[in-house]
Amino acid sequence: MSLPAEKASELKQLIHQQLNKMDVHGRIREILAETIREELAPDQQQLSTEDLIKALKRRGIIDDVMKELNFITDSVDQECPTSPKQHACFTDRQSTLKKSDGTRMADSTTMLSISDPVHMVLIKTDIFGETTLIASYFLEWRSVLGSENGVTNLTVELMGVGTESKVSVGILSIKLEMYPPLNQMLSQEVVNTQLALERQKTAERERLFLVYAKQWWREYLQIRPSHNSRLVKIFAQDENGINRPVCSYVRPLRAGRLLDTPRQAARFVNVLGYERAPVIGGGGKQEQWCTLLAFLCRNKGDCEDHANLLCSLLLGYGLEAFVCVGTKAKGVPHAWVLTCGTDGTITFWESLTGHRYIHKCINPDESPLAEQPKPLYPYRTIGCVFNHQMFLGNCQPSDLVEMCMFDLNDESKWKPMSEEAIKSVCAPGATTSLPPFPPLCASMVDASITSNEMEMQLRLLVSEHRKDLGLTTVWEDQLSYLLSPALASYEFERTTSISAGNEEFQDAIRRAVPDGHTFKGFPIHFVYRNARRAFATCLRSPFCEEIICCRGDQVRLAVRVRVFTYPESACAVWIMFACKYRSVL
C-alpha cells in the first residue's frame, strides 16, 4: 500500500517534529560516541548501521519514540463472551483508558494504583463429587512491582474457614511474574509506602463507618426499645471470620449470555446446593456468609449466600432488588430477596426454591369481618433490607411480614443508613470492599452425555436390585423415550411457573399403553449427578419402590434421565421411573 505524495510529506513532517521534540538526534550522537568508545576495537574505524540500530534498541531509544507515536484504530464495541475464571484476574477500576491505549501495557504507577487483591480459593472434592471449602486467601500481588526483573517468590500460610479460621491448613509457595515485563520497575520502598498508606486509609474508613453504625443503631433503638430483638444485621462474618458490612456482599452481576431472564437466574441460584455452615457442638447456627467466589467454587452454601447471589443477578437485570433478613416459621433466621416494581408491586423471591410470591399487606384497621389476603409465603418477620447502595432497618410497629408496608422511601417505616457512609466502605474502588465479582463460567457438563451415563447406571442398579428380589427385568426403550417431554415440561415449569406440554405427554402414554394394562410413573428432581445416591433416595419413596419392584404379568420398566445445565456446572437433574403391566383382576 502506497501513500499519496501529500500524505507522505505530512507524515515525514510529523515524525521530524516528534524527533526534534524528543531531541533524538542529540541522543543518537551521544550513543554513537559512546558505542565507538566502549564497544569497537581500536583498529575499527567505521560503525555500521546495524551496530547503531542495536545500540539504539539496547538503550530504549526506539521504544521511547514508538511510545510517543499513538496509532489509533477504529474498533466496534462488542459484548465479550464469558470466559472461564483465571487463577489471577486484575481489574483496573480507577483509571479510564482511551481506545488508542487498548494495546498499551499499563505502566508501573498505574499498576500500583490497582488495589484489588488476587482471591484464591482451595476446594477439596471427594470421590463422590462432594466439595468442601478448605481455605480462602486474598493475595496482595503488588510486591512484584518492586522486585528485580519483575519476578518474586512468596510463601503464604493458608488458614482454615469458619470455626477453623485460626487453624493453619498448609503453606503455599507462589511465584509472581509480570508479563509482559514493565519498562520501568518501582523501588520496593515506593511499593511498601503505597501499601502502608492504603492500610492506614482502610483502617480509618472502617473506624469511621463503625462509629457511624453504632450511632445509627442507638438512634434505631430509641425509636422503640423492642427493636433490640429484631434481625437488623449490619455486619456479617465471611468464611475467614472477618466482619464485613452486609452491603459489600451484593453487587450488580451480569450473566452475559449464560442466563437470559431474571426467572432463569432464580432457577440457577435454586439448583446450587444448600448447606448450612458446620457447627462444632450445640448453641445454634454458625455465622458464615461466603464471598461469591468461594460460594461458586463450592457450588453450595447457606440461604444468605443464595440470597446475595440472586439479588446481585437481579440488580444486573436492572431490577430494584434487596436482600431481606428475617425469620421463617418457628423463628428460624432466614434470608430472601424482594423486588420493587415501578407500579409498587412487591415480589418476594425465595432463592432456595425459585418460588415467587406477591406481597399484599394486611390492614390492621380493617373490620374483623373484612376479608384479608392470606399470605402464601413462608416468611414470618423481617428486620432489615439491603443492597449494594442502601441499608434500611424496619421501624414499623410490627415486624410481621404480612403487616409490613414496603414503601422503602418512607423514613417513618424504614430507617435508612447514609448512602455516603455505605459507599465509603462498599463501593467498587474502596480499599475495604471485596474484589470485583468473578464472571460466571459456562457449564463444563455435557448434558446429553451425562444424561445417558446416569440413565445406564440407574438401569444397572434397578436390574441388580430386582435380581436380589428374584425378579427379572425387561426394559422398554420406546416407553423410556416417551418420558422425555414430561421431564422437559417439569423444568420449564420450575423456571417460568408456566405449565406446558402435559397434554401431548399424556396422549403419547395412552397410545403406548395397551388396553388392559396399567401405567405408573414417578418423577423426582435432584441437584447432583450421583446416580447411586439418587437411587437410594428414590427407594425411600413407597410409590417409587412399588414401581421399581413391580410384580405382575408382562411387566415392562422404563427410566429416563434429563440433565439441564446451568452456569458454574450447576445442574438440575430430573429422573422418572415408570412401568406398565397387564392388569389381573
Side-chain angles (χ1 to χ4, degrees), residues 157-175:
E157 183 180 15
L158 299 181
M159 309 300 288
V161 297
T163 56
E164 301 178 4
S165 59
K166 305 299 182 183
V167 180
S168 175
V169 298
I171 303 297
L172 183 64
S173 298
I174 302 173
K175 178 181 178 181

Side-chain angles (χ1 to χ4, degrees), residues 252-327:
L253 178 62
R254 294 171 58 181
R257 300 191 183 278
L258 300 178
L259 298 169
D260 296 323
T261 66
R263 296 194 185 189
Q264 193 177 16
R267 178 58 173 159
F268 157 60
V269 177
N270 159 225
V271 299
L272 292 171
Y274 169 66
E275 181 183 78
R276 297 182 63 177
V279 179
I280 300 177
K285 180 180 177 182
Q286 171 67 27
E287 168 76 12
Q288 180 178 312
W289 289 28
C290 278
T291 54
L292 181 62
L293 181 61
F295 177 39
L296 293 178
C297 290
R298 184 165 68 135
N299 252 349
K300 58 185 176 183
D302 213 333
C303 60
E304 294 88 357
D305 304 325
H306 287 77
N308 290 335
L309 174 57
L310 178 57
C311 183
S312 298
L313 288 168
L314 296 182
L315 288 169
Y317 281 109
L319 301 180
E320 186 180 8
F322 297 85
V323 175
C324 305
V325 178
T327 63

Side-chain angles (χ1 to χ4, degrees), residues 213-514:
K214 288 181 177 180
Q215 177 63 29
W216 183 93
W217 177 246
R218 284 193 292 267
E219 294 173 357
Y220 181 72
L221 293 181
Q222 289 173 4
I223 298 174
R224 200 173 285 108
S226 61
H227 286 178
N228 191 44
S229 62
R230 297 188 179 183
L231 278 178
V232 179
K233 196 159 193 61
I234 303 175
F235 296 92
Q237 286 188 356
D238 64 9
E239 63 268 20
N240 293 321
I242 299 175
N243 276 316
R244 298 183 183 275
V246 293
C247 295
S248 66
Y249 290 90
V250 175
R251 199 173 297 170
L253 178 62
R254 294 171 58 181
R257 300 191 183 278
L258 300 178
L259 298 169
D260 296 323
T261 66
R263 296 194 185 189
Q264 193 177 16
R267 178 58 173 159
F268 157 60
V269 177
N270 159 225
V271 299
L272 292 171
Y274 169 66
E275 181 183 78
R276 297 182 63 177
V279 179
I280 300 177
K285 180 180 177 182
Q286 171 67 27
E287 168 76 12
Q288 180 178 312
W289 289 28
C290 278
T291 54
L292 181 62
L293 181 61
F295 177 39
L296 293 178
C297 290
R298 184 165 68 135
N299 252 349
K300 58 185 176 183
D302 213 333
C303 60
E304 294 88 357
D305 304 325
H306 287 77
N308 290 335
L309 174 57
L310 178 57
C311 183
S312 298
L313 288 168
L314 296 182
L315 288 169
Y317 281 109
L319 301 180
E320 186 180 8
F322 297 85
V323 175
C324 305
V325 178
T327 63
K328 294 195 297 184
K330 299 181 180 179
V332 177
H334 191 62
W336 67 98
V337 179
L338 77 79
T339 53
C340 306
T342 53
D343 59 353
T345 301
I346 300 298
T347 305
F348 293 147
W349 301 66
E350 177 47 59
S351 57
L352 296 180
T353 63
H355 295 163
R356 300 165 65 251
Y357 309 95
I358 302 298
H359 171 70
K360 294 183 179 179
C361 182
I362 293 177
N363 187 354
D365 299 327
E366 284 282 353
S367 169
L369 299 178
E371 185 177 357
Q372 297 277 18
K374 295 182 179 180
L376 301 177
Y377 42 78
Y379 318 120
R380 185 172 177 269
T381 65
I382 182 169
C384 64
V385 300
F386 66 88
N387 60 17
H388 63 302
Q389 294 176 329
M390 301 174 65
F391 183 96
L392 303 113
N394 181 8
C395 55
Q396 300 175 64
S398 173
D399 63 347
L400 293 175
V401 177
E402 59 191 23
M403 304 283 288
C404 287
M405 301 285 290
F406 285 89
D407 181 4
L408 302 181
N409 295 318
D410 188 346
E411 295 190 9
S412 67
K413 296 181 174 63
W414 296 92
K415 178 174 174 57
M417 270 193 169
S418 165
E419 293 188 23
E420 287 300 318
I422 295 174
K423 185 178 180 181
S424 68
V425 291
C426 298
T431 53
T432 58
S433 68
L434 291 167
F437 284 179
L440 295 181
C441 291
S443 177
M444 304 295 290
V445 178
D446 188 303
S448 298
I449 293 177
T450 306
S451 299
N452 289 335
E453 289 177 350
M454 287 192 65
E455 191 169 307
M456 296 306 296
Q457 292 171 15
L458 288 173
R459 282 197 178 197
L460 181 60
L461 292 170
V462 170
S463 299
E464 291 177 348
H465 186 75
R466 287 176 60 85
K467 184 179 180 181
D468 293 340
L469 299 175
L471 302 173
T472 59
T473 305
V474 180
W475 295 99
E476 185 172 318
D477 293 338
Q478 177 62 16
L479 183 59
S480 297
Y481 181 73
L482 295 182
L483 303 178
S484 294
L487 302 183
S489 176
Y490 299 150
E491 181 62 20
F492 182 77
E493 185 175 358
R494 285 288 183 97
T495 304
T496 64
S497 302
I498 299 173
S499 178
N502 286 328
E503 298 82 1
E504 294 85 352
F505 167 68
Q506 294 174 6
D507 184 66
I509 294 299
R510 291 191 187 99
R511 293 177 179 275
V513 179

